[in-house]
Amino acid sequence: MQKQDVARLFTTPVDAPAYAPTRYRFTNREYLNIYYRTDPEALRRLVPEPLAITDPVVRFEIMRMPDVTGLGDYTEAGQLVSVEHEGEAGEFHLAMYVDSVPAISSGREYSAYPKKGGSPSLYVDSDTLVGTLDHGTLRVATATMGYKHHAMDLDEARAEICSPNFMIKTVPDYDGSLRVCDLVRTQVTDVTVKSAFTGPARLELFAHVMAPLSDLPVVEIVSASHIVTDLTLNPVKPVYDYLAA
């Protein structure tokens, strides 16, 4: 392999890349979203400046992704916090738990998604939509929602999916310091909502040191949605450089 070829590598290993060099298109991406109010002091300890907390609302999501270009079939779960940046409302990605190594690698390297290993699932149990998340052998979250109780306005569903997302992008240097430490922004713009429903919901979180979702306790369920979409992810863009600051 010549020097110029090394400089053009997308990722490693050089003979079997950890993920595909493609823009990811999701077909029939299925969401279970549960919005809940939590302890504002707990949020302030986790949400980084310059993001501001306007309402102590968290979204617990489970996403079933059966058809993704380059990545195949996998499931994710995570927590997002309602925030504001320079007057723009959005969500801060706190953590994502994923059952696919290529999806974890690409999400962290190519973008800035805070992904780590986990075992989420999303399925229908009789008249109930059920989402669970396990870390190792232990259950850390159980979400339930009444299955397709009320049709949801498609524009409202699209607004949920297209909310601006903020994340922290870090790249360590060889001496252990940080080479990159940015607040980044992305937003889904190419989305087709195929189905959207709302209904009653419950969420139970269990304490776990390596998957601390319960550190943001459920005080009140605000709303829930079950949405099926096709969409394409957009690249992230830096909006704040912590090292320069």
Side-chain angles (χ1 to χ4, degrees), residues 49-52 83-90 166 183 185 239-240:
E49 294 179 334
L51 298 176
V83 295
E84 188 175 277
H85 179 255
E86 296 183 345
E88 179 184 47
F166 298 92
L183 178 69
R185 178 193 181 279
V239 296
Y240 188 83

Side-chain angles (χ1 to χ4, degrees), residues 26-174:
F26 297 78
T27 302
N28 294 327
R29 179 168 175 162
E30 183 179 12
Y31 290 82
L32 168 58
N33 298 311
I34 298 184
Y35 293 83
Y36 70 93
R37 194 160 279 111
T38 191
D39 177 7
E41 291 302 319
L43 283 182
R44 292 189 185 98
R45 291 192 291 269
L46 296 174
V47 175
E49 294 179 334
L51 298 176
I53 301 167
T54 56
D55 192 11
V57 171
V58 178
R59 173 160 67 97
F60 174 77
E61 66 174 11
I62 293 188
M63 296 178 291
R64 179 81 187 92
M65 292 165 284
D67 184 354
V68 188
T69 55
L71 296 175
D73 180 351
Y74 66 100
T75 307
E76 291 183 352
Q79 285 175 310
L80 300 90
V81 181
S82 298
V83 295
E84 188 175 277
H85 179 255
E86 296 183 345
E88 179 184 47
E91 294 178 304
F92 172 64
H93 273 276
L94 180 60
M96 306 173 77
Y97 300 87
V98 190
D99 63 2
S100 164
V101 171
I104 294 172
S105 301
S106 62
R108 294 182 65 91
E109 291 183 19
Y110 185 53
S111 191
Y113 293 98
K115 297 187 178 188
K116 62 186 297 184
S119 299
S121 66
L122 181 61
Y123 60 94
V124 177
D125 182 8
S126 184
D127 58 354
T128 307
L129 182 65
V130 179
T132 64
L133 173 61
D134 295 347
H135 188 80
T137 62
L138 298 179
R139 178 63 43 88
V140 294
T142 299
T144 55
M145 175 181 166
Y147 188 70
K148 294 188 175 182
H149 279 210
H150 308 288
M152 190 176 179
D153 181 81
L154 296 186
D155 288 335
E156 182 182 346
R158 187 175 295 105
E160 277 194 26
I161 304 305
C162 294
S163 174
N165 287 171
F166 298 92
M167 298 168 280
I168 298 295
K169 173 72 172 183
T170 61
V171 178
D173 213 334
Y174 296 103

